[in-house]
Amino acid sequence: MDDLDRAVVHALHVDGRVPFSRIGAVLGVSTQTVARRYRRLRAEAGLRVVGLAEPARAGRAQWMVRLTASPHTSQDVAHALARRADTSWVKLASGGTEILAIIDTPAESATSHPLLLRDIPRTASITAVSAHYVLHTYLGGPTAWRGRAHALTEEQRRQLEPPAGVGRDVAESDAALLAALSRDGRAVLADLATATGWSPATVARRLADLRAGGALFFDVEIDPALFGATTQALLWMAVTPARLDAVAVALAGHDELAFVAATTGPTNLVAHALCADPAGLHAYLTHRLGPIEGIRTLETAPVLRTLKAAGPLGP
């Protein structure tokens, strides 16, 4: 990736649906050049923009589930989880025997989800399960990893920001629209109209309403190694309750982290770290995380592979 590639990715980080013409005008290149770079990054670097509903605004709850499986079955179990419509961020960690998945559930039935209570316990190859209810997300979603967001100036970023406004919450009638955007956040209005049965004008209006209030956001999926982050780890922390909010807020400001959330369970704070190499992770843990008061224990689980990110798997 060169500087222009990184600038295009940063522009999409600011607004996943920003027109190529606006990116080109801000960067001083043609619309065709931006479109060509975007197509190449999709084909060669796995770049993908996905539209996602903010869970609380859509009446959804999330669980982080940690599974330990036998070495010869862990990949099969992880792939099976990745194929489910209610999972995201499926990762192999800790030498390949641990699987992490985020499970999306209706908020009103968060404690009776079939995957949590039936499907997982009946899988004989799984030797351990722990489920952590996500209580509050401090970093994630529309404020994802900032390691890929250093290519634009502040003025360029301001020019690319989507317009503000008064928004609306997600409704049941938005299901088809959200499903289409989760597959391709940059789908054109005509395609979204076909998917929903609405007119393009209605789609545009509904998109604007959902985005304005933060009920809908756009995530950019791309291999972080292309930005120099070759070492990833999940950090499971037990934090003194009185310090939990202060610690989480401090961590949310760290550029090395892509996700910070308070959860239930024996650990009450989890973070996802992306560093240049093992030495960089060690430096982060000892020099940035170590001095923060209130962290009683820390478990570091290296991430070997991400099988599924925020959006659904392709056909």
Side-chain angles (χ1 to χ4, degrees), residues 43-102:
E44 299 179 7
L47 175 64
R48 186 184 184 197
V49 177
V50 294
L52 304 167
E54 199 283 320
R57 301 287 296 277
R60 310 295 292 178
Q62 292 184 317
W63 291 81
M64 298 189 73
V65 178
R66 300 179 71 182
L67 313 174
T68 302
S70 55
H72 65 284
T73 62
S74 59
Q75 292 203 35
D76 291 339
V77 172
H79 281 289
L81 283 170
R83 288 192 294 269
R84 293 182 62 111
D86 54 2
T87 63
S88 60
W89 296 110
V90 180
K91 300 176 181 292
L92 282 170
S94 303
T97 59
E98 182 179 338
I99 304 159
L100 173 88
I102 293 183

Side-chain angles (χ1 to χ4, degrees), residues 138-153:
Y138 289 86
L139 177 68
T143 56
W145 184 51
R146 293 181 291 267
R148 62 190 178 207
H150 296 298
L152 302 177
T153 66

